[in-house]
Amino acid sequence: VLPVAVISKKRDGLELSEAEIRFMIDGLVDGSVPDYQISAWAMAVLLNGMSEVETACLTDAMLESGGRLARASDRPRVDKHSTGGLGDKVSLVLAPLLACCEVDVPMLSGRGLGITGGTLDKLEAYSGYRCDLTPLEIDRQLQRLGCVITGTTPDIAPADKKLYLLRDVTGTVPSIPLITASIMSKKLAATLDALVLDVKFGSGAFMQDLESARRLAGSLQATGERMGVDTRVILSDMNQPLGRMVGNACEANEAVQILQGQGPSDVRQLTLALGAELLVAIGRYQQTSLAVTALAEMIDNGAALRRYQLMIEMQGGEYKDQLPLAASSVLTSSSEGWLAGLDGQLLGQAVIELGGGRRKLGDRIDATVGLEMLVRIGDRIEHQQPLVKIFSASNATSRKAAYELLESAFSYSSEPVPPLPLIVSEGITAS
Amino acid sequence: VLPVAVISKKRDGLELSEAEIRFMIDGLVDGSVPDYQISAWAMAVLLNGMSEVETACLTDAMLESGGRLARASDRPRVDKHSTGGLGDKVSLVLAPLLACCEVDVPMLSGRGLGITGGTLDKLEAYSGYRCDLTPLEIDRQLQRLGCVITGTTPDIAPADKKLYLLRDVTGTVPSIPLITASIMSKKLAATLDALVLDVKFGSGAFMQDLESARRLAGSLQATGERMGVDTRVILSDMNQPLGRMVGNACEANEAVQILQGQGPSDVRQLTLALGAELLVAIGRYQQTSLAVTALAEMIDNGAALRRYQLMIEMQGGEYKDQLPLAASSVLTSSSEGWLAGLDGQLLGQAVIELGGGRRKLGDRIDATVGLEMLVRIGDRIEHQQPLVKIFSASNATSRKAAYELLESAFSYSSEPVPPLPLIVSEGITAS
């Protein structure tokens, strides 16, 4: 096999064999196929696509480039992955909640980059929280607690790490097969029985429209099923932040409110829906509604919150019911009407301006800054009505830039606007 | 401008600005845009195409990456380029022939790679022939003789040299805009008044079908015209070798036969047609037929052959009317019928097996080996009829491999097959 032959075959729209895909990925990892061939191939994949079989082969080759986590117990082993959006703190609630239901949740998460926050950054708002657990530490914590949220270990899918760095600078990120293989190779390395995917669409999501989100969801699910893991998908709205809080400590605090049986209903609803899919997938319940009830009980009896606190502490963090936030001010409306749209890109950029997100990998972030959304799409907005509370520790220039971004993020209609449904498509199972 | 933004724009099918194209080419040359970004961009260009304006900008950026040859005299300055094929020795005849008509022909040529022979390799069959003339030597020879055939100087379009090496290993060769810019940036660096392009199609050509050849021809011509050079195109058949001889000394000998007023009529016809286009383009004649007559006269009176001999000698070569060839044997037909097809790829591979072509840049070639085609498509072939004379100095294994390739290159029909027209489309001018 010659790299140029594999590139040319994909360029010509043909299907690659498993051996050809493995050759490229192995060559990427051992350096025998240089970056300039990988990037040309990635562009051909982006523009000409991959079949389900090819995508599964790519995922498998990337998974096999590294190791897998060992099973820690004979409990079922499940995980959730979200394609990312503003205010998405579901992982913080869901991992301890599921652990209360006698399943193991080995959640390997990432950091925020661009407008999307990162679960690890939110947990690091607890002073001392460690995201660099070794496979052995992950194993021990799962045995004792049933849940862990930590960074991927260096041994997990090294091919994905190299390929992602290259895709990021060669315009080859927005490819459904490449995204699928990137997500699934890392998730499946955790040795799962079931996986639920929260695929988000809308102005604050990677996939801006429902149709693209559906295509990605189909690809993720088909790949999971081909690789022998019961894989479920929920499509959820990201045309406005999930919950009220956006920012790291802000979101950790809101997660605790949810675990206390309080907080905004959309976060609770989505968390329960995602968890219920997993409990049905492993056969714990036949009906989603029963699974939802069981999960809600673990919130309402305080078990999930206790498990969350234990997880924070076992990973070295200093738990607080509510973490301190930066000083706040309020942006009020200069128009009136029905709130018709919230530009998620602008909201996310405002958080970055405040110091709560990263422009590039390695940027430091300030956990105490963020936003509290005071209105939702469909609300009637009066002149001078408070729209968003801004927690800001940054200098005047950045704060001014953030305010300007926020002001332009809101759009109004003179006609009533219906509220947006949160979950568009629930419980998609294998075709 | 960020490279990833330019790549993404082309990936999304948008038109690049002149500044964006120049940014990529300048970055390629000075190393500020790394190879992995250039190759992803080249793949996006290949798959999403370029407009005429973009292609002209790319050509200009590549041309401007180096220097140009200076005018040597106030005579009109013309050149011919062929997209390459088997047995194409037209340049050897045409350059001295046009020089006899008081025009300067600064022909910067290449070496053979793959199945296509190279003009420089054919001329190096004359012992001592130099293909590395400096710009000053080119200038002097043009002043004295009106023609030169040498390699491109290091200063000509360095962007093309770097880009071609990268395209060759990343599956990004067969792109009409990239081919166009590669050809035209080098040709136009010779500072021309008129250029004629021989775009070949068929089994022995780079463009296998007429439609692709037409598209390439249109792109080449539009680019030449946009850059202010009168550019003409002829589409010619390459479903069988041009003339009878294929191989380096073989073709040099056949070129001399043409210059002696002998040799196969197709070589003479195509040479005269290409030359006539140029003489009409510079306004020397209004009618192609008059230009053809004038050129034929320069062959028939011996002037062109004398000019050829002078050119060989001025470039250090030892002229011979007929160069020695390797020992020959003959392949005869094992079938009968009308000759319906000749697989140019197999014929070309047979020449490589004999040692007359290169598998990779830098391979040594044997000038004395080659083929003499004894039949043409449409001929009635009897059992055991001689098909091709093989000049071979190679070992038995290679010779056997060459024979096998040759045998499978011939295909027959039980019905009569019409001969192929040589020139399909003559004298295409700017749309």
Side-chain angles (χ1 to χ4, degrees), chain B residues 6 10 13-17 20-22 24-25 41-42 44-59 62 163 175-181 219 223:
Chain B
V6 180
K10 182 46 68 186
L14 303 175
E15 189 167 27
L16 300 181
S17 71
E20 287 165 335
I21 291 169
R22 199 165 287 273
M24 294 303 277
I25 295 303
W41 177 71
V45 168
L46 184 145
L47 290 170
N48 285 338
M50 272 188 159
S51 68
E52 275 185 23
V53 174
E54 284 177 294
T55 306
C57 289
L58 178 61
T59 305
M62 283 167 55
L163 185 56
S175 153
I176 284 180
L178 296 179
I179 295 168
T180 299
S219 174
T223 302

Side-chain angles (χ1 to χ4, degrees), chain A residues 403-421:
Chain A
Y403 263 80
E404 283 168 6
L405 288 162
L406 289 171
E407 277 189 320
S408 51
F410 289 77
S411 58
Y412 303 90
S413 166
S414 54
E415 303 291 316
V417 172
L420 295 174

Side-chain angles (χ1 to χ4, degrees), chain A residues 288-361:
Chain A
T288 310
S289 58
L290 294 178
V292 166
T293 306
L295 288 164
E297 170 64 19
M298 290 296 165
I299 290 177
D300 299 335
N301 68 14
L305 178 61
R306 282 194 298 279
R307 193 72 61 120
Y308 179 71
Q309 184 173 348
L310 282 172
M311 180 181 79
I312 303 294
E313 289 170 353
M314 199 173 286
Q315 292 190 225
E318 189 181 329
Y319 175 77
K320 284 194 169 68
D321 274 340
Q322 292 292 295
L323 293 160
L325 302 179
S328 68
S329 55
V330 169
L331 175 72
T332 57
S333 167
S334 53
S335 309
E336 57 175 31
W338 282 268
L339 185 59
L342 272 169
D343 187 321
Q345 305 297 318
L346 296 179
L347 292 178
Q349 284 169 35
V351 175
I352 293 173
E353 278 295 341
L354 294 171
R358 290 188 185 86
R359 283 193 174 80
K360 58 177 194 298
L361 272 171

Side-chain angles (χ1 to χ4, degrees), chain A residues 18-19 60 109 118 123 144 150 174 189 192 259 267 310 383 390 404:
Chain A
E18 185 182 349
D60 195 54
S109 294
L123 286 165
R144 290 179 59 188
T150 184
L192 305 175
L259 288 162
V267 182
L310 282 172
H383 195 65
I390 299 152
E404 283 168 6

Side-chain angles (χ1 to χ4, degrees), chain A residues 184-250:
Chain A
M184 298 301 279
S185 64
K186 285 178 295 191
K187 284 284 148 183
L188 300 185
T191 316
L192 305 175
D193 297 306
L195 174 65
V196 68
L197 297 154
D198 179 11
V199 178
K200 296 186 178 295
F201 62 92
S203 74
F206 183 66
M207 292 294 177
Q208 305 255 315
D209 62 291
L210 183 56
E211 202 32 62
S212 311
R214 252 189 232 288
R215 280 203 303 277
L216 176 58
S219 174
L220 290 165
Q221 185 171 48
T223 302
E225 297 291 335
R226 278 185 183 276
M227 297 183 70
V229 174
D230 192 325
T231 306
R232 314 263 167 145
V233 181
I234 281 180
L235 291 170
S236 72
D237 183 81
M238 188 37 70
N239 284 297
Q240 57 193 337
L242 185 68
R244 293 164 66 97
M245 304 299 269
V246 183
N248 295 293
C250 288

